[in-house]
Amino acid sequence: ESNLYEFFRTIGPNAIASIRVCRDSQSQKSLGYAYVNFHHMEDADKAIDLLNYEPIDGKPCRISWSRRDPSLRKSGVGNVFIKNLATDIDHLGLYDTFSNFGEILSCKVATDETGQSKGYGFVHFATPEEADKAIDALNGKCLNQKQVYVGHFIPKHLRESKSEEENFTNIYLKHISSQITPEQFVSLVTKATADIGKITSPILMTKSVERDGETVEES
């Protein structure tokens, strides 16, 4: 509690009403999450805006509104999956990018045991409409020079049941010019298939190469 108090008192010396670290009932060890109550909503808003994903004891910590009803979070409604992320995009970078589309309940980049990004992440929005806006705006776009896939998250048990009856809709293209950019690829295949159907996730696989002293992405 004292560590959290020192961390959050930057919002204001008299802003904090109470702090409670949740602990194991037997060992009394921290469960890794806590509740901080502020006297005023404005101070809580300020804490989320200024301190979200700032490190506490060396670990970036997520700060969000406390919700007593966990049904929305557990339902998975509004949950978005992002893959092909650049490795330099962290939790905060992902949050900043997607927070433009609505209220975020949780946001996470998957990492390995060394803390390095695995190249994918999850963003859970408060409403499915906000998730749809993010998908429409960002799917197939480039973040930090890498084209990303953004779509609805499908739980593993549903993916497995769906795969048993899957009608495959993916197609593979090869012999594509190395000079074509991800943006050009999306534009070309979208126009070429406009009279056939809607493309949901056009992705051009790229690799980093050195060109004229700069690192660029090439197909």
Side-chain angles (χ1 to χ4, degrees):
E1 283 84 356
S2 61
N3 290 345
L4 290 180
Y5 177 78
E6 290 301 320
F7 181 76
F8 282 99
R9 72 190 299 247
T10 57
I11 300 301
N14 300 311
I16 299 171
S18 65
I19 296 176
R20 180 170 68 90
V21 175
C22 296
R23 302 180 183 278
D24 182 90
S25 59
Q26 301 297 322
S27 66
Q28 291 302 301
K29 289 184 177 180
S30 169
L31 295 174
Y33 62 94
Y35 296 93
V36 179
N37 294 318
F38 291 88
H39 290 293
H40 304 290
M41 182 183 295
E42 295 80 8
D43 290 327
D45 265 329
K46 186 178 178 182
I48 293 174
D49 288 340
L50 298 181
L51 301 178
N52 202 11
Y53 293 106
E54 287 295 308
I56 301 177
D57 284 346
K59 291 187 64 176
C61 292
R62 181 174 64 86
I63 304 170
S64 62
W65 291 103
S66 172
R67 294 178 178 269
R68 295 189 179 277
D69 181 4
S71 59
L72 177 60
R73 177 176 55 82
K74 292 182 178 180
S75 72
V77 174
N79 208 357
V80 172
F81 173 64
I82 308 100
K83 68 179 179 180
N84 204 36
L85 280 172
T87 54
D88 58 346
I89 295 179
D90 57 11
H91 306 300
L92 180 58
L94 195 65
Y95 180 90
D96 286 345
T97 300
F98 282 82
S99 60
N100 295 314
F101 302 99
E103 180 187 354
I104 292 177
L105 302 181
S106 64
C107 176
K108 177 182 180 181
V109 173
T111 58
D112 61 20
E113 60 277 3
T114 67
Q116 294 297 309
S117 169
K118 291 184 176 181
Y120 65 92
F122 307 89
V123 177
H124 195 172
F125 286 96
T127 68
E129 291 77 17
E130 292 168 342
D132 287 339
K133 283 198 301 182
I135 292 170
D136 290 342
L138 296 178
N139 185 37
K141 298 298 190 294
C142 284
L143 300 180
N144 289 17
Q145 298 185 329
K146 289 199 71 173
Q147 187 183 29
V148 297
Y149 165 81
V150 183
H152 292 288
F153 171 71
I154 303 174
K156 183 177 180 180
H157 69 281
L158 292 181
R159 294 199 304 270
E160 290 174 345
S161 62
K162 184 179 179 181
S163 64
E164 295 175 359
E165 305 173 357
E166 188 90 47
N167 290 319
F168 292 100
T169 57
N170 288 344
I171 61 172
Y172 169 70
L173 288 77
K174 63 180 181 179
H175 302 308
I176 297 172
S177 169
S178 62
Q179 304 303 312
I180 290 182
T181 66
E183 292 84 357
Q184 291 171 330
F185 174 76
V186 172
S187 176
L188 287 170
V189 297
T190 300
K191 290 179 180 178
T193 59
D195 59 342
I196 300 174
K198 180 182 178 181
I199 297 178
T200 58
S201 55
I203 300 292
L204 177 67
M205 303 308 294
T206 61
K207 60 183 178 181
S208 298
V209 297
E210 293 291 332
R211 184 182 299 161
D212 297 329
E214 295 184 357
T215 301
V216 297
E217 293 294 321
E218 166 180 290
S219 67

